């Protein structure tokens, strides 16, 4: 909840403001305070500061996220698929790595797969929202790919329309997303058992969005793909019986565009705060509160 709150708050601060540069600078000052041990007096920053310490979340991760939000607000363009992956690593891969840290996983291969799962989801978002983004003047598809199919990016953005060429580019992007989803499976298998079902469900349902785009002929310009509830349930049911492939990617290195995130997270060891010790302190505190409540109740009864 604390992680989501900070990510949401940072996104809104930049996206809904009138001065992205000033909002970006303001968020960096908030990070200074959070990582300096003196978070600003608001619930979001206090909560995020606590988990940043508890799970040793390096500053590079939320800072990368904020940088990606600024790229959005300033209309940055993406010439190549590597440029788009660099963006996806910031706005989604960084969140994947932070979530893996909350699940107490710090091995570099697992963090790499977590980043790639987030990036796959972001590529799915891009493929689904081509028309919606175009109507607010944004184009995330790699412009190099568009030119290779004979589409001029600026001319198309001025008059967005679905064409076979656009379908080919969207299909190509979803193919790349599917490769990342496949790589992410081995990272999911390395998560704590209690975490795997939820993360695998998220991976399955997001991939289903891409399948729905494909079912519509890759037309995400004139329509926006939505997966019906019955289809989601069917996907989740199939997920429960699918057997994972043999692990062939355990030692795969991170994608170049996400390596800075993985290196930053894997290089920091969390503070020695065993979970059992925390539970003992909490339990003793609970007993103390219950005892004081009982004493107070006895006193009131006696009077």
């Amino acid at each position: 909840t604390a992680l989501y709150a900070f990510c949401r708050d940072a996104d809104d601060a930049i996206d809904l403001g009138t001065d992205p540069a000033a909002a970006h600078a303001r968020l960096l000052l908030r990070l200074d305070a959070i990582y300096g041990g003196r978070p600003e007096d608001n619930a979001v920053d206090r909560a995020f500061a606590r988990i940043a310490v508890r799970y040793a979340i390096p500053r590079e991760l939320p800072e990368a996220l904020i940088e990606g939000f600024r790229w959005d607000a300033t209309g940055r363009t993406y010439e190549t698929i590597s440029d788009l992956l660099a963006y996806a690593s910031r706005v989604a891969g960084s969140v994947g790595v932070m979530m893996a840290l909350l699940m107490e996983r710090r091995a570099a291969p697992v963090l790499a797969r977590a980043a790639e799962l987030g990036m796959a989801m972001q590529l799915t978002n891009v493929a689904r929202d081509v028309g919606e983004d175009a109507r607010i003047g944004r184009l995330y598809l790699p412009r190099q790919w568009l030119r290779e199919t004979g589409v001029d990016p600026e001319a198309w953005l001025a008059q967005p329309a679905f064409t076979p060429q656009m379908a080919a580019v969207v299909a190509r992007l979803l193919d790349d997303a599917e490769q990342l989803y496949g790589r992410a499976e081995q990272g999911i298998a390395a998560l704590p058992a209690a975490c795997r079902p939820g993360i695998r469900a998220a991976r399955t349902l997001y991939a289903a969005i891409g399948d729905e785009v494909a079912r519509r002929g890759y037309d995400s310009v004139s329509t926006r793909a939505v997966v019906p509830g019955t289809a989601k349930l069917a996907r989740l049911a199939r997920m429960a019986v699918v057997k994972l492939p043999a692990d062939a990617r355990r030692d795969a290195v991170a994608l170049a565009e996400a390596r800075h995130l993985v290196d930053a997270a894997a290089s920091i060891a969390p503070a020695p705060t065993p979970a059992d010790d925390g539970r003992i302190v909490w339990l003793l505190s609970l007993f103390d509160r219950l005892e004081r409540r009982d004493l107070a109740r006895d006193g009131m009864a006696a009077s």
Side-chain angles (χ1 to χ4, degrees), residues 225-237:
V226 176
V227 182
T230 53
K232 290 179 180 178
L233 290 174
R235 281 267 182 163
L236 293 176

Side-chain angles (χ1 to χ4, degrees), residues 35-284:
Y35 281 88
R38 53 184 193 287
E40 294 186 4
D41 189 19
N42 64 73
V44 171
D45 287 16
R46 289 197 303 270
F48 185 71
R50 285 195 293 272
I51 67 165
V53 172
R54 170 65 182 84
Y55 297 98
I57 299 174
R59 178 187 169 128
E60 288 89 342
L61 300 183
E63 193 164 338
L65 176 73
I66 291 167
E67 183 181 26
F69 291 156
R70 185 181 180 186
W71 288 8
D72 262 338
T74 55
R76 191 183 182 97
T77 60
Y78 304 98
E79 182 65 22
T80 66
I81 184 61
S82 180
D83 294 337
L84 181 58
L85 288 173
Y87 164 72
S89 75
R90 285 162 173 78
V91 297
S94 61
V95 179
V97 175
M98 285 190 279
M99 288 178 66
L101 297 181
L102 296 187
M103 297 174 205
E104 300 187 324
R105 292 295 183 266
R106 301 195 84 87
V110 179
L111 298 179
R113 305 293 82 78
E116 288 159 8
L117 178 55
M119 293 161 73
M121 291 177 169
Q122 189 62 33
L123 295 189
T124 300
N125 278 342
V126 170
R128 178 194 60 193
D129 296 338
V130 174
E132 191 172 286
D133 289 334
R135 285 185 278 277
I136 59 173
R138 294 180 180 178
L139 178 62
Y140 291 91
L141 295 173
R143 294 179 176 225
Q144 182 185 74
W145 288 6
L146 292 171
R147 293 191 187 94
E148 288 172 1
T149 65
V151 175
D152 177 82
E154 295 303 330
W156 183 86
L157 197 53
Q159 291 186 306
F162 177 66
T163 64
Q165 292 83 357
M166 292 300 295
V169 172
V170 171
R172 186 175 176 182
L173 187 63
L174 286 174
D175 284 344
D176 280 15
E178 193 56 40
Q179 290 182 36
L180 291 177
Y181 283 126
R183 288 171 63 90
E185 279 291 354
Q186 302 309 322
I188 295 173
L191 296 176
C195 300
R196 290 175 210 151
I199 301 301
R200 186 165 289 118
R203 173 254 185 269
T204 299
L205 295 179
Y206 244 87
I209 296 171
D211 291 344
E212 181 64 19
V213 172
R215 192 186 69 79
R216 298 180 186 209
Y218 299 102
D219 180 5
S220 55
V221 178
S222 53
T223 64
R224 187 178 191 269
V226 176
V227 182
T230 53
K232 290 179 180 178
L233 290 174
R235 281 267 182 163
L236 293 176
R238 289 199 298 272
M239 180 193 78
V241 298
V242 169
K243 201 168 187 179
L244 283 175
D247 186 355
R249 302 186 184 92
R250 186 175 299 279
D251 298 321
V253 298
L255 294 179
E257 295 82 2
R259 201 167 296 150
H260 64 294
L261 304 175
V262 175
D263 289 347
S267 65
I268 299 178
T273 53
D276 285 345
D277 288 353
R279 292 191 188 103
I280 292 169
V281 170
W282 177 86
L283 189 60
L284 291 173

